[in-house]
């Protein structure tokens, strides 16, 4: 992989110029951004996957759902459908995409969940629903500049800050680091739970915030038990099991389980992996429990032959200066 990225170095300036020129067209008003006169919050990143967008969207849903009518809008990455689709009890993960499917299964009855590659069209479709959404959460839309969100939340991983990365294909950035200037809030995700002050200052100095930006640090809170749709098992003292992951960065989860002293085999697949019938047969042959992420569980739970051994580990995020973060979000909504 490193070799392929090394030989791709001559391509990087071309990619940098194309993405930079596109951003300039929006900055100069030569390409149109649509602004809506109601709260639109964008959660995204500069890099390709693995920064924790899904837990952040879920955090915002929990923060807002009791006081506002919420709609989430994603493009539905790797889904097998096109255009606008509103989640319902008859829609599958393959049709909706695994993350939106997860939002719907967890929060249905409280929010609208929709997918549309054209975010403007998706928002307009959601606006005619009854009840009409009051707050829109755009998932992974930081580069979708046709919509001008009122509040931009940019995520970057603690162990791979965007300031130390490069644009594709040499690095993992979708656009140059200057894209961070559009953010109102920057959240450093997947931090150690107890991050000391000096390390926070070091990160802040590297990021070099603009005057209008605020920086927060977040960490993953893992549940003490893995669960399925009908049962659960405690992790502490669990006998050898198999960990199955199809996410961009499984390292924090693997590290957490090892720190618990657990004995497991890790079957690691690429992000948004579509499990095949051969994979399922391999899982059927396992005598140990299978623990996976919630996102992967959404794709695997349809296979009845492994249902009795399949569990997922729920996660949430914790944010330092929680009250300040929450107040920024709530004040934005109140003022709009």
């Amino acid at each position: 992989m490193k070799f392929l990225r090394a030989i791709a170095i001559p391509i990087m300036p071309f990619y940098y110029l194309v993405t930079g020129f596109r951003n300039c067209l929006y900055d100069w008003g030569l390409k149109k951004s649509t602004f809506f006169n109601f709260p639109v919050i964008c959660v995204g990143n500069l890099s390709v996957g693995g920064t924790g967008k899904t837990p952040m969207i879920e955090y915002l849903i929990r923060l807002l759902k009791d006081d506002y009518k919420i709609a989430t809008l994603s493009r539905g990455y790797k889904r097998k459908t096109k255009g606008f689709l509103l989640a319902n009890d008859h829609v599958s993960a393959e049709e909706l995409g695994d993350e939106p499917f997860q939002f719907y299964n967890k929060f249905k009855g409280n929010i609208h969940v929709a997918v549309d590659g054209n975010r403007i069209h998706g928002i307009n479709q959601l606006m005619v629903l009854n009840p009409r959404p009051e707050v829109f959460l755009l998932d992974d839309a930081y580069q979708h500049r046709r919509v001008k969100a009122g509040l931009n939340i940019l995520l970057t991983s603690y162990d791979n800050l965007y300031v130390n990365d490069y644009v594709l294909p040499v690095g993992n950035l979708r656009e140059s680091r200057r894209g961070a200037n559009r953010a109102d809030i920057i959240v450093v995700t997947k931090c150690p739970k107890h991050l000391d002050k000096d390390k926070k200052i070091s990160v802040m100095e590297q990021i070099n915030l603009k005057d209008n930006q605020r920086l927060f640090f977040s960490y993953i809170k893992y549940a003490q038990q893995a669960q399925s749709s009908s049962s659960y098992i405690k992790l502490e003292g669990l006998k050898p099991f198999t960990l199955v992951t199809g996410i961009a960065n499984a390292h924090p989860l693997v590290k957490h389980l090892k720190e618990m002293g657990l004995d497991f085999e890790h079957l690691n697949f690429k992000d948004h992996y579509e499990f095949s019938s051969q994979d399922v047969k391999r899982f059927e042959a396992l005598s140990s429990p299978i623990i996976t992420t919630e996102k992967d569980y959404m794709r695997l739970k349809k296979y009845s032959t492994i249902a009795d051994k399949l569990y997922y580990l729920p996660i949430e995020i914790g944010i330092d200066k929680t009250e300040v973060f929450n107040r920024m979000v709530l004040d934005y909504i109140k003022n709009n």
Side-chain angles (χ1 to χ4, degrees):
M1 186 66 177
K2 290 183 179 179
F3 172 74
L4 292 176
R5 291 199 165 187
I7 64 176
I9 288 176
I11 304 173
M12 186 176 72
F14 176 76
Y15 184 90
Y16 183 92
L17 288 171
V18 170
T19 56
F21 181 66
R22 173 181 180 270
N23 278 325
C24 285
L25 292 177
Y26 279 107
D27 293 340
W28 298 335
L30 298 177
K31 286 182 74 72
K32 182 183 178 183
S33 292
T34 299
F35 180 81
F36 294 91
N37 61 349
F38 44 78
V40 177
I41 300 174
C42 170
V43 174
N45 53 21
L46 295 184
S47 62
V48 180
T51 56
K53 295 183 295 294
T54 301
M56 177 56 73
I57 290 288
E58 292 186 353
Y59 180 95
L60 293 172
I61 292 171
R62 292 188 183 95
L63 174 64
L64 302 173
K65 66 181 177 63
D66 292 337
D67 298 309
Y68 298 97
K69 297 177 178 65
I70 307 298
T72 68
L73 181 61
S74 315
R75 62 171 170 158
Y77 182 64
K78 280 197 170 184
R79 64 185 172 116
K80 296 180 179 178
T81 56
K82 300 292 184 181
F84 178 82
L85 182 62
L86 184 67
N88 58 61
D89 288 341
H90 305 292
V91 172
S92 66
E94 289 78 13
E95 294 170 308
L96 198 65
D98 46 20
E99 286 112 341
F101 191 69
Q102 179 176 320
F103 299 151
Y104 178 73
N105 275 265
K106 187 174 288 188
F107 299 106
K108 62 181 176 181
N110 292 302
I111 66 171
H112 293 301
V113 176
V115 293
D116 197 331
N118 183 333
R119 305 305 205 287
I120 296 175
H121 179 261
I123 290 174
N124 287 330
Q125 292 294 108
L126 286 164
M127 285 297 293
V128 302
L129 296 179
N130 186 18
R132 173 177 165 171
E134 297 171 313
V135 179
F136 290 78
L137 304 179
L138 303 187
D139 176 30
D140 195 13
Y142 198 77
Q143 284 74 38
H144 192 91
R145 298 198 60 186
R146 289 184 61 198
V147 173
K148 184 175 177 61
L151 184 69
N152 279 298
I153 301 176
L154 178 68
L155 310 182
T156 183
S157 296
Y158 176 75
D159 60 356
N160 188 26
L161 298 174
Y162 69 83
V163 293
N164 300 321
D165 206 347
Y166 300 92
V167 296
L168 292 164
V170 175
N172 292 313
L173 299 185
R174 301 170 175 179
E175 58 175 304
S176 79
R177 303 166 192 171
R178 285 182 295 182
N181 293 340
R182 302 194 303 273
D184 302 292
I185 294 173
I186 298 177
V187 181
V188 181
T189 62
K190 303 182 181 179
C191 298
K193 188 171 183 179
H194 302 290
L195 189 63
D196 64 53
K197 183 178 179 180
D198 289 342
K199 289 181 179 178
K200 288 183 179 181
I201 291 174
S202 174
V203 170
M204 186 175 295
E205 289 175 346
Q206 292 179 68
I207 290 178
N208 191 22
L209 295 171
K210 304 298 180 184
D211 291 340
N212 64 313
Q213 295 178 323
R214 288 296 302 265
L215 181 68
F216 297 89
F217 296 85
S218 74
Y219 59 93
I220 300 173
K221 298 191 292 185
Y222 294 97
Q224 296 299 308
Q225 57 193 32
Q227 63 186 62
S228 69
S229 56
S230 58
S231 63
Y232 68 90
I233 51 175
K234 292 183 178 180
L235 290 181
E236 187 176 359
L238 183 63
K239 295 180 180 180
F241 62 90
T242 301
L243 175 67
V244 174
T245 60
I247 56 177
N249 181 12
H251 175 70
L253 173 57
V254 172
K255 181 182 178 182
H256 169 73
L257 295 175
K258 286 183 176 179
E259 287 176 346
M260 290 187 67
L262 299 175
D263 181 15
F264 59 94
E265 176 189 11
H266 182 200
L267 302 180
N268 191 26
F269 299 87
K270 65 182 181 180
D271 195 20
H272 295 278
Y273 181 75
E274 294 184 18
F275 295 99
S276 67
S277 57
Q278 289 299 113
D279 296 322
V280 175
K281 287 181 180 179
R282 182 182 181 185
F283 300 154
E284 289 172 356
L286 296 171
S287 58
S288 61
I290 299 171
I291 294 180
T292 189
T293 68
E294 191 168 3
K295 184 170 77 169
D296 294 312
Y297 183 82
M298 293 300 142
R299 297 195 298 276
L300 285 168
K301 69 176 186 175
K302 65 181 180 181
Y303 298 106
S304 59
T305 53
I306 60 173
D308 61 339
K309 66 176 80 173
L310 182 67
Y311 300 85
Y312 68 90
L313 185 61
I315 65 169
E316 295 182 12
I317 60 169
I319 300 178
D320 76 324
K321 299 180 181 177
T322 306
E323 292 184 2
V324 178
F325 179 88
N326 292 353
R327 180 49 52 196
M328 284 191 70
V329 173
L330 293 170
D331 283 348
Y332 159 69
I333 294 172
K334 182 179 178 181
N335 293 331
N336 288 273

